[in-house]
Amino acid sequence: MKLSRLFGRAILLTLLGLSSTALRAQSPIESSPRAIVHLLDYLAADYGGAVRDGKVIEQFEYNEQIEFADLVLKIAGGLDSTDYHPVVERAKNLQRLIHSKADAEKVSEMALSIKSDVLKISKLNMSPESWPNFENAKSIFQAQCISCHGSEGRGDGPAAKGLEPAPRNFHDGEYMQALNAFHNFNVIRLGIPGTGMAAYPHLKDRDIWDLSFYILSLRYADRAKSIDPEKIAAFQISLDDAAQKTDEELKTEWQLSDKDSEDQLAILRTKSAGSDDDSGAFLASLDTADRHLTDALEFYRAGNTKEAMSKAAMAYLDGVEPLEPTLLSMDSKFVMKLETSMARVRSVIGKKRGVEELEPAIQEAQSYLNQAKTLLQQAKDSSSPWITFSLAFGIVLREGFEAVLILLAILGVIRATKARRAKPFVHAGWVVAVLLGLIAWVFSGWVMKVSG
């Protein structure tokens, strides 16, 4: 009897313990270079809120800083590569700084410096392959995030009550302007230990990048609606910069007035591949090819032939091959030159020739990629809604004329055979066909969106 009571009490205590932490991320953070980068980001940003003038001003935050510094050291020490040995030594120095309640600026500088070393060693992807799709991001956000962050991302979801710290308000300009999409990616992928921010390792990289950019867009959504893009200075910004730079860094780089920089940021942060036309997606695909070629050269210089060949192949398969039908319709001879240049890059890597031979081969291939961008841009500029309408209407007119001829032939046969009872069915048939055509036209846009 006593055993059963003890057993029942143990179950009850276990259930109570589980219920009190059900909304908190309790799983240990993964042991990877990305986790180290993620933790160092937090140490650099949040330590100043825990310690000031050598004194602890927020004990919970300070305990968290000690925990994260210990985790950095533990993960770095557990990585197999000897390349991380210097990182371990520097992580020990960072740990000592935090334990001695050192100046926040010094801790931040050390954390960011170690982060830079880890990024160089690990060669982590710090940006996505193409611009984000906010339609995809919004659907994921509604399914996964609104319980804590709320439907508008203000940190006021139904599960937010009682969480400490509270879920992030993505409309908080002071905080959000210091974040970038790469930071958001790591938070979503890895979570934050000891908080309500759980890890989402089951999501694909593409989905997480979409979410990472979407979060940055939320506070600009209303402003973007009232801006005429034609009146804003057209800064050329790479996808890498858009993913890796914060709003603060971009403002400093642009050197614009406060209003102009806010308008420019609103346009940039709300840019979505889902709202672009085909040419925008094509240009992003060529950017992907260009980036893979650059990575291939870096890996080859480092002596990693296998990874270099993989990147060179991905440059063609992910960046060029999907565009071949479109480019062939514009200039078939140019496509042959582009393919030849891409094949030459793979050949040089496969034969393990010198870097001095690979560099010009990659430069030539990237030159053809830039020409492909020009072709696509010219095709976009030369098109107009009226041309598109005329071509589409021409198809409808031709097919409609053929249908009318067939109907006249059928009605002629009916009249010749005096089978007048069949006549109403013929007319009912083409009326129903027109109605079905109108219904199909109304839903065609929706079908295109969900078809992939």
Side-chain angles (χ1 to χ4, degrees), residues 47-58 100-105:
Y47 177 80
V51 176
R52 187 177 302 158
D53 299 327
K55 296 180 180 179
V56 176
I57 59 175
E58 181 57 60
S100 65
K101 304 177 184 66
D103 181 68
E105 187 174 344

Side-chain angles (χ1 to χ4, degrees), residues 103-417:
D103 181 68
E105 187 174 344
K106 195 171 183 180
V107 170
S108 178
E109 184 178 329
M110 173 72 81
L112 292 176
S113 177
I114 299 172
K115 170 189 168 183
S116 178
D117 290 344
V118 174
L119 289 173
K120 288 177 183 176
I121 296 169
S122 63
K123 293 182 172 59
L124 281 174
N125 287 330
M126 296 178 64
S127 56
E129 301 294 343
S130 59
W131 285 95
N133 185 324
F134 285 169
E135 292 178 5
N136 179 51
K138 188 174 182 179
S139 64
I140 298 172
F141 188 88
Q142 296 295 324
Q144 304 281 353
C145 310
I146 62 171
S147 61
C148 292
H149 291 285
S151 59
E152 296 181 354
R154 298 182 182 276
D156 56 356
K161 296 178 181 179
L163 286 180
E164 181 62 40
R168 182 61 58 191
N169 176 6
F170 300 130
H171 294 262
D172 181 352
E174 184 176 353
Y175 179 83
M176 295 301 295
Q177 68 175 348
L179 300 184
N180 57 29
F182 176 63
H183 167 86
N184 294 342
F185 181 96
N186 290 331
V187 172
I188 298 168
R189 166 55 57 81
L190 303 171
I192 306 175
T195 75
M197 181 60 208
Y200 288 87
H202 62 283
L203 291 178
K204 297 178 182 177
D205 281 5
R206 174 72 266 174
D207 294 336
I208 297 179
W209 277 119
D210 288 349
L211 270 176
S212 301
F213 278 81
Y214 178 71
I215 287 168
L216 295 176
S217 77
L218 289 174
R219 68 191 185 97
Y220 289 112
D222 291 337
R223 189 185 192 106
K225 294 175 184 177
S226 61
I227 299 173
D228 179 5
E230 299 295 330
K231 296 181 181 179
I232 305 299
F235 290 93
Q236 294 296 322
I237 182 169
S238 68
L239 180 55
D240 287 341
D241 283 347
Q244 298 167 29
K245 290 187 176 180
T246 66
D247 288 0
E248 285 180 329
E249 291 169 336
L250 290 172
K251 285 180 181 179
T252 302
E253 183 177 311
W254 288 336
Q255 295 182 339
L256 295 172
S257 66
D258 288 342
K259 181 182 182 302
D260 286 343
S261 62
E262 287 294 318
D263 287 347
Q264 187 65 34
L265 282 168
I267 292 173
L268 168 65
R269 294 305 187 195
T270 54
K271 176 180 172 63
S272 167
S275 59
D276 278 347
D277 55 16
D278 286 342
S279 63
F282 290 166
L283 293 175
S285 184
L286 292 171
D287 285 338
T288 297
D290 190 284
R291 190 160 53 253
H292 282 323
L293 288 176
T294 300
D295 290 343
L297 181 58
E298 290 182 6
F299 278 115
Y300 200 73
R301 281 175 176 160
N304 193 338
T305 306
K306 182 179 179 181
E307 193 64 32
M309 178 60 83
S310 174
K311 289 292 183 180
M314 288 170 64
Y316 174 74
L317 294 174
D318 293 347
V320 176
E321 196 271 338
L323 308 184
E324 278 188 358
T326 302
L327 292 172
L328 280 169
S329 67
M330 299 175 183
D331 190 337
S332 58
K333 292 182 179 179
F334 168 76
V335 174
M336 181 61 68
K337 293 177 182 177
L338 173 59
E339 288 186 347
T340 301
S341 69
M342 301 292 284
R344 184 187 167 203
V345 170
R346 299 193 297 275
S347 175
V348 172
I349 295 173
K351 294 177 181 177
K352 298 184 178 179
R353 301 286 176 82
V355 175
E356 66 278 1
E357 189 173 340
L358 180 61
E359 283 183 348
I362 286 181
Q363 289 173 1
E364 181 186 43
Q366 289 177 327
S367 173
Y368 280 120
L369 290 174
N370 288 330
Q371 292 179 47
K373 291 180 184 179
T374 302
L375 275 176
L376 291 169
Q377 193 62 50
Q378 288 174 346
K380 176 186 176 183
D381 295 340
S382 63
S383 65
S384 74
W386 286 110
I387 292 176
T388 304
F389 173 80
S390 300
L391 292 172
F393 185 72
I395 295 172
V396 173
L397 190 64
R398 184 190 68 204
E399 298 298 329
F401 182 68
E402 290 179 1
V404 169
L405 290 178
I406 293 171
L407 284 172
L408 289 176
I410 293 173
L411 291 172
V413 171
I414 289 173
R415 178 177 293 181
T417 57

Side-chain angles (χ1 to χ4, degrees), residues 33-91:
R34 185 176 295 280
I36 297 175
V37 170
H38 177 42
L39 293 168
L40 289 169
D41 261 340
Y42 268 90
L43 289 170
D46 290 3
Y47 177 80
V51 176
R52 187 177 302 158
D53 299 327
K55 296 180 180 179
V56 176
I57 59 175
E58 181 57 60
Q59 190 62 49
F60 176 83
E61 289 287 341
Y62 181 64
N63 292 341
E64 191 174 61
Q65 301 299 302
I66 293 175
E67 178 189 355
F68 286 2
D70 292 344
L71 267 174
V72 168
L73 185 58
K74 180 180 179 181
I75 295 171
L79 296 176
D80 294 334
S81 174
T82 57
D83 293 338
Y84 289 97
H85 288 174
V87 173
V88 172
E89 294 305 313
R90 299 192 69 195

